[in-house]
Amino acid sequence: MRFKKILLILSMFIIPLIAFPETGERLWMRYSPLPDDVQSRYAGLFSVYFEPGSSTVNVAKDELNKAFRGMMEEGLQFQDNIRKSSLLIGKGISRKAEIEGLEEALKKCGSEGYVIKSAEIDGRKKIIVSANSDAGILYGTFAFIRMMQTGRSPEDLNIIEKPEYDLRLLNHWDNLDGTVERGYAGHSIWWNRKKDYDSLKEHYQTYARANASVGINGTVLNNVNADPQVLTHDYIEKFARFADLLRPYNIKVYMSVNFSSPAIIGGLEDSDPLREEVRQWWKQKVAEIYELIPDFGGFLVKANSEGQPGPQDYGRTHAEGANMMAEALEPYGGIVMWRAFVYSPSGDDRAKQAYNEFVPLDGEFHENVIVQVKNGPVDFQPREPFSPVFGAMEHTPLMIEFQITQEYLGFSDHLAYLAPLQKECLESDTYVNGPGSTVAKTTDGSIFNQTHSAIAGVANIGRDTNWTGHHFAQANWYAYGRLAWDHTLAADDIAVEWVKMTFSHEPDFVQPVLNIMMRSREAVVNYMTPLGLHHLMGWSHHYGPEPWTDIEDARPDWLPRYYHNASEYGIGFDRSESGSNAVEQYSEPLRSMFNNPGTCPENLILWFHHLPWDYRMSSGLTLWDELCYHYYHGVDEARLMQKQWDRLAGMIDRERFDHVQHKLKIQTREAVWWRDACLLYFQTFSGMPIPHELERPEHDLEELMELEFDMTHHN
């Protein structure tokens, strides 16, 4: 105890002079010393039996020791005898000691789950972490570390967990030249780096540890707008190096491929999926990949979308194109993830096109094909209804795709905690098999007994020191992984975990930050696209407001006017029976509910209806006044978040506090920009005044419309 007091005094006066600044580089794995009361709960667990095993078991063992050294300020004492140990970790614990209920618990864990259980052996209290696989030991170890990080009591434990989805992937939209499409945290961590591979190994291991800590077990290393060169031997070798590094962390690598690769790099006449020569080319290429990467995960394909080539170029269906690749991958256990993000200049409502193209193909895809569907029917908007494709393809596995990178939510400038958005979608009831048929249950295998269950998140990771550009954007990577593992978790519980692991256990810090996080997404919706408005962003950059944009010769469904339809008569996109009839793609009672403006949820009302400016909302206000109040409320919320953060000065390190404070100032300023740009523009159609009790706009509309967007200004 005396030695600890000396260390404490040194830490108060000397260590701050030499300590490295907090950069966010360690993410939520900082392993800083725990509060004394939490340390006391785990003080009896330094003696550990860790069953020997594979490289996966070894990284779990190293992680546990690293965590104890940081959080408990003392390393572990590893034992060969379980009776001398207080913490027992391994697959074979039940064979070495009789522990009541452990065998039954392990039967519920599947191939990746784990058990964390309190037990007595020879009258001595123990904690057991056990699983059926090395991957389960890895995840169970990280779960135990998370218990420590968040201060959970180690008493009376009986935790049995397994993942809700089999495949839990990050999709990196990283280009081979090192740029990242819709990435706001610097260049690609994978491609076109000047440093050699060995010098970056620790950086990649941090990435792998972070993913393993939340249960992510797959990563697509390149952009869905794929460069055909990725299938050349040089790049396959690079994929193999990354696969070797990530393998101990139970992470498989996947590759986005260009459908026209046989013609572009293979020298074939075309890439027709029904031509035998093309089919053989893919089989040979797949064999080449598996020779270097025996556990390669498979292909992600964006086809016949936004100018990308695909089977429809040859009069073939999506199923015929996907099945060709599936046949090549099937002998090796690989899968095809075929994206359903498709739209063409057909004149039909863009929100309907994924359903129209894919639902008629249900049952025609091979078993190792998964159709990857964005959470909403248009394109990762701040708020959308769930895609009607969910639940509509009983015989085809569907992989829900979320966007972690904030393409339409203020890039890495705006604090927008996305777990509430993801929960909103996952918990939406599709009614396809009666009440309770949530989006989560239509994709996790609960309702349809399909071969695969899967989920994907478009990564927000780059070379910025803090990985994600905004310190709070780390929470979206973390929360996605936690929900991919267990979609029943509450968004606020995940936020509390992350805050304690990343910043502080101090309640006076945790509660205000939780408040900021939980109101942040709705604030963004309000100052950007309230009441179901969508795609009001600049058509090319997707950052600032440009509801007025009208580009000659541009496709209508790339422009904001296509979506808001503002005129002197009203605003909104009519997707009712009298409009595009997109409501028809939803099951009852949703179809009728969405079809009627009187029953349609008001946070989606302008998604489904074009309404007059004087339409009476449930509040009694006109639509125009309601719109004004939402926009102003969004700005008020941004200001409140900034003020709440300002009051936390001194409670965490200065570096991260200042960085977040700076970002919140940008967010507040740009919330006003959004509010004024949208309301002043829509006012030219409504001709109605902004309610007198609201402050006057800070900008002039003509000035805003002439503003040239600078893609670097958000930094």
Side-chain angles (χ1 to χ4, degrees):
M1 287 299 294
R2 185 179 178 186
F3 180 67
K4 276 199 169 186
K5 286 183 179 179
I6 293 171
L7 284 178
L8 179 61
I9 293 169
L10 287 172
S11 70
M12 291 172 64
F13 295 102
I14 299 175
I15 293 177
L17 300 177
I18 61 175
F20 291 107
E22 284 276 11
T23 63
E25 185 176 6
R26 292 179 293 168
L27 298 162
W28 48 90
M29 302 173 297
R30 293 169 62 240
Y31 300 154
S32 296
L34 292 168
D36 288 346
D37 62 323
V38 179
Q39 286 201 31
S40 65
R41 297 174 199 163
Y42 288 88
L45 299 176
F46 285 99
S47 182
V48 180
Y49 172 80
F50 211 118
E51 187 178 77
S54 67
S55 59
T56 298
V57 171
N58 289 338
V59 298
K61 182 179 180 181
D62 290 345
E63 194 72 31
L64 186 67
N65 197 33
K66 187 190 305 251
F68 264 80
R69 282 189 181 280
M71 294 189 289
M72 300 291 289
E73 303 171 277
E74 188 177 333
L76 293 171
Q77 302 152 18
F78 290 107
Q79 308 288 343
D80 294 329
N81 189 320
I82 65 172
R83 283 167 175 79
K84 293 181 180 179
S85 305
S86 49
L87 176 59
L88 316 179
I89 303 177
K91 293 185 292 184
I93 302 298
S94 62
R95 295 191 300 270
K96 299 180 184 298
E98 188 172 329
I99 300 168
E100 184 179 355
L102 181 56
E103 284 290 344
E104 287 302 310
L106 288 170
K107 291 177 183 178
K108 301 175 183 178
C109 288
S111 61
E112 290 184 305
Y114 55 82
V115 176
I116 304 178
K117 185 176 179 63
S118 301
E120 280 196 10
I121 300 177
D122 297 339
R124 296 183 177 181
K125 289 184 178 181
K126 315 280 185 182
I127 293 178
I128 315 298
V129 179
S130 192
N132 298 313
S133 68
D134 292 348
I137 294 298
L138 177 71
Y139 296 140
T141 301
F142 268 112
F144 183 77
I145 293 170
R146 182 167 58 246
M147 285 174 47
M148 296 177 65
Q149 287 178 285
T150 55
R152 178 171 175 174
S153 171
E155 300 294 324
D156 302 321
L157 298 172
N158 189 27
I159 299 169
I160 304 171
E161 286 204 7
K162 67 176 182 178
E164 301 284 350
Y165 290 98
D166 300 330
L167 306 176
R168 307 172 299 279
L169 272 68
L170 285 180
N171 288 179
H172 287 269
W173 285 2
D174 293 22
N175 300 312
L176 303 187
D177 65 1
T179 60
V180 181
E181 183 172 340
R182 307 307 179 190
Y184 313 108
H187 279 68
S188 169
I189 65 171
W190 308 112
W191 308 117
N192 197 25
R193 302 196 71 164
K194 294 180 181 179
K195 295 182 179 179
D196 64 86
Y197 174 81
D198 289 336
S199 68
L200 293 166
K201 190 172 182 180
E202 186 176 349
H203 187 62
Y204 291 131
Q205 285 174 332
T206 301
Y207 169 88
R209 291 168 53 225
N211 284 326
S213 76
V214 291
I216 291 170
N217 64 359
T219 183
V220 184
L221 302 184
N222 63 305
N223 193 359
V224 290
N225 295 316
D227 186 331
Q229 295 301 312
V230 77
L231 282 167
T232 60
H233 191 74
D234 285 350
Y235 276 103
I236 294 171
E237 286 184 330
K238 292 176 181 178
F239 270 77
R241 285 194 302 180
F242 290 129
D244 291 344
L245 191 147
L246 298 175
R247 188 173 293 113
Y249 299 88
N250 197 46
I251 300 171
K252 288 185 177 182
V253 299
Y254 297 75
M255 180 188 293
S256 292
V257 294
N258 186 295
F259 192 83
S260 287
S261 295
I264 296 173
I265 65 169
L268 301 189
E269 180 182 343
D270 58 42
S271 300
D272 184 346
L274 297 193
R275 276 213 312 128
E276 186 59 29
E277 188 180 12
V278 174
R279 303 173 81 85
Q280 286 302 318
W281 186 91
W282 281 106
K283 289 178 181 179
Q284 291 168 8
K285 186 56 66 175
V286 166
E288 181 184 349
I289 293 171
Y290 277 95
E291 186 176 350
L292 293 177
I293 314 172
D295 58 350
F296 178 68
F299 294 146
L300 174 62
V301 188
K302 176 179 177 179
N304 291 123
S305 173
E306 297 185 318
Q308 291 295 311
Q312 292 177 342
D313 299 348
Y314 307 98
R316 315 304 185 189
T317 67
H318 287 289
E320 289 169 326
N323 291 344
M324 171 196 64
M325 293 184 182
E327 288 173 7
L329 290 161
E330 193 275 333
Y332 307 94
I335 63 167
V336 177
M337 298 169 288
W338 194 271
R339 293 181 88 234
F341 178 60
V342 292
Y343 62 96
S344 56
S346 64
D348 201 0
D349 180 0
R350 174 172 160 182
K352 296 171 60 178
Q353 292 187 36
Y355 185 102
N356 289 342
E357 288 195 31
F358 280 87
V359 173
L361 299 174
D362 188 28
E364 296 183 19
F365 292 94
H366 285 196
E367 279 197 351
N368 60 324
V369 175
I370 306 173
V371 174
Q372 184 168 307
V373 183
K374 289 188 177 186
N375 61 282
V378 172
D379 190 15
F380 296 136
Q381 295 299 292
R383 170 166 282 120
E384 297 186 51
F386 68 87
S387 170
V389 179
F390 294 119
M393 299 182 71
E394 180 178 350
H395 306 290
T396 307
L398 299 184
M399 181 179 198
I400 189 167
E401 179 183 2
F402 289 112
Q403 191 176 49
I404 308 170
T405 190
Q406 293 170 220
E407 178 179 356
Y408 295 99
L409 292 107
F411 294 7
S412 60
D413 276 346
H414 294 208
L415 195 164
Y417 177 50
L418 299 184
L421 182 157
Q422 294 167 8
K423 288 287 289 182
E424 185 177 289
C425 176
L426 290 164
E427 294 179 351
S428 291
D429 202 334
T430 69
Y431 290 94
V432 294
N433 199 28
S437 304
T438 62
V439 169
K441 290 181 179 179
T442 66
T443 54
D444 70 1
S446 299
I447 294 178
F448 305 126
N449 186 24
Q450 293 158 341
T451 309
H452 303 287
S453 63
I455 186 169
V458 181
N460 63 345
I461 297 160
R463 290 185 212 168
D464 280 7
T465 304
N466 69 6
W467 294 89
T468 58
H470 194 309
H471 287 290
F472 274 82
Q474 294 179 4
N476 293 332
W477 178 6
Y478 178 85
Y480 162 75
R482 294 290 282 134
L483 287 172
W485 179 273
D486 182 0
H487 57 66
T488 68
L489 294 173
D492 55 350
D493 289 341
I494 296 171
V496 169
E497 285 180 1
W498 179 81
V499 173
K500 288 182 174 181
M501 296 162 75
T502 306
F503 288 111
S504 170
H505 279 233
E506 176 57 50
D508 288 344
F509 179 85
V510 174
Q511 284 305 123
V513 173
L514 175 64
N515 184 272
I516 290 171
M517 293 174 70
M518 291 304 296
R519 65 200 312 154
S520 61
R521 182 267 183 138
E522 199 64 32
V524 174
V525 171
N526 277 323
Y527 64 67
M528 286 188 182
T529 53
L531 302 180
L533 288 172
H534 48 293
H535 246 307
L536 302 183
M537 300 77 181
W539 75 282
S540 60
H541 50 75
H542 295 174
Y543 186 78
E546 289 186 12
W548 48 77
T549 301
D550 189 11
I551 308 295
E552 188 176 355
D553 298 328
R555 285 181 47 171
D557 54 4
W558 285 352
L559 303 177
R561 288 188 179 187
Y562 173 85
Y563 297 97
H564 64 68
N565 288 298
S567 70
E568 62 183 296
Y569 303 107
I571 188 172
F573 198 117
D574 187 0
R575 294 188 169 101
S576 70
E577 290 177 355
S578 60
S580 74
N581 201 22
V583 295
E584 186 181 35
Q585 296 180 342
Y586 293 90
S587 298
E588 289 290 8
L590 295 179
R591 184 182 306 147
S592 296
M593 181 181 73
F594 289 149
N595 188 58
N596 182 348
T599 57
C600 182
E602 289 191 346
N603 62 6
L604 291 171
I605 197 165
L606 297 182
W607 183 284
F608 287 106
H609 296 278
H610 187 275
L611 298 173
W613 297 107
D614 60 357
Y615 176 83
R616 287 288 166 185
M617 305 291 284
S618 61
S619 63
L621 297 172
T622 64
L623 171 60
W624 168 252
D625 283 355
E626 187 82 18
L627 198 63
C628 290
Y629 279 108
H630 274 273
Y631 271 109
Y632 274 82
H633 183 60
V635 171
D636 290 342
E637 288 285 279
R639 288 170 174 161
L640 178 61
M641 292 192 296
Q642 182 184 345
K643 290 176 182 177
Q644 286 182 313
W645 184 259
D646 288 345
R647 287 195 287 268
L648 301 176
M651 299 190 70
I652 62 168
D653 55 281
R654 183 63 181 268
E655 293 83 8
R656 290 187 297 170
F657 178 83
D658 287 350
H659 188 270
V660 173
Q661 185 182 56
H662 173 67
K663 292 284 190 178
L664 286 170
K665 288 178 180 178
I666 294 173
Q667 183 169 0
T668 300
R669 184 171 66 246
E670 293 185 346
V672 175
W673 173 33
W674 266 93
R675 179 198 70 190
D676 290 356
C678 292
L679 285 182
L680 290 174
Y681 174 68
F682 292 143
Q683 190 179 39
T684 65
F685 298 103
S686 75
M688 302 171 77
I690 292 172
H692 65 87
E693 64 270 25
L694 300 177
E695 66 182 60
R696 297 302 90 194
E698 296 181 14
H699 301 91
D700 176 81
L701 179 59
E702 290 186 8
E703 177 184 86
L704 291 170
M705 293 178 71
E706 292 174 0
L707 180 67
E708 290 291 332
F709 181 78
D710 178 1
M711 282 300 292
T712 64
H713 94 283
H714 65 277
N715 291 323

